[in-house]
Amino acid sequence: MPYATVPDLAAWLAPEPAPPNAVRLLTLASQRVDRALLGAWYDRDDAEVVEVLRQATVQQVHWMLDRGDETEAQSDLQSMSTGIRSFSKRPLRDGEQPQKLATSVVDLLRTCGLFRFDPLVVG
């Protein structure tokens, strides 16, 4: 279930309207926020946490719309041409992954102080 609603997204994007595929985008953005928070523990019923997750989700959708890439298919492209097609992948350093989360979302999740990442010790 998405962390934000279509009216939340419309308010964030104003004066532009929410796109027709807003529900799908909100669902995908919520999944990306979940992926970023993998290993974190937090109270999903806490009003502050709910608000941060809502903000992160609408910011992620905004970023996805700006990039024109809801599927992450272009996340590692440096350039692309049309016509006789030409794609160039962005060179990645060892261990580097293509950006899949908006910088503003990363900043929001890091600075809100609501999410804890504690090591899991087994054995």
Side-chain angles (χ1 to χ4, degrees):
M1 183 164 105
Y3 293 123
T5 63
V6 174
D8 292 334
L9 181 59
W12 179 264
L13 296 174
E16 299 297 321
N21 60 342
V23 172
R24 182 176 67 236
L25 292 172
L26 289 164
T27 300
L28 291 170
S30 295
Q31 290 170 351
R32 291 177 188 162
V33 169
D34 281 343
R35 182 173 51 201
L37 293 173
L38 192 62
W41 60 274
Y42 50 92
D43 180 1
R44 291 184 104 152
D45 297 324
D46 182 287
E48 290 179 276
V49 170
V50 170
E51 177 60 19
V52 168
L53 293 173
R54 185 191 65 74
Q55 287 179 27
T57 300
V58 295
Q59 288 179 32
Q60 180 67 21
V61 170
H62 191 178
W63 184 73
M64 292 161 60
L65 289 169
D66 283 350
R67 289 174 53 110
D69 184 18
E70 74 178 70
T71 64
E72 297 180 356
Q74 301 172 35
S75 64
D76 64 346
L77 289 181
Q78 181 175 355
S79 64
M80 179 171 46
S81 302
T82 56
I84 303 180
R85 292 189 179 182
S86 172
F87 300 93
S88 298
K89 286 193 166 202
R90 184 174 64 84
L92 300 174
R93 295 178 290 233
D94 283 344
E96 182 184 14
Q97 297 290 320
Q99 184 175 357
K100 297 181 179 186
L101 198 66
T103 303
S104 64
V105 174
V106 173
D107 291 344
L108 175 65
L109 296 175
R110 282 185 181 162
T111 61
C112 71
L114 297 174
F115 305 100
R116 293 191 50 190
F117 292 88
D118 294 328
L120 176 63
V121 179
V122 179

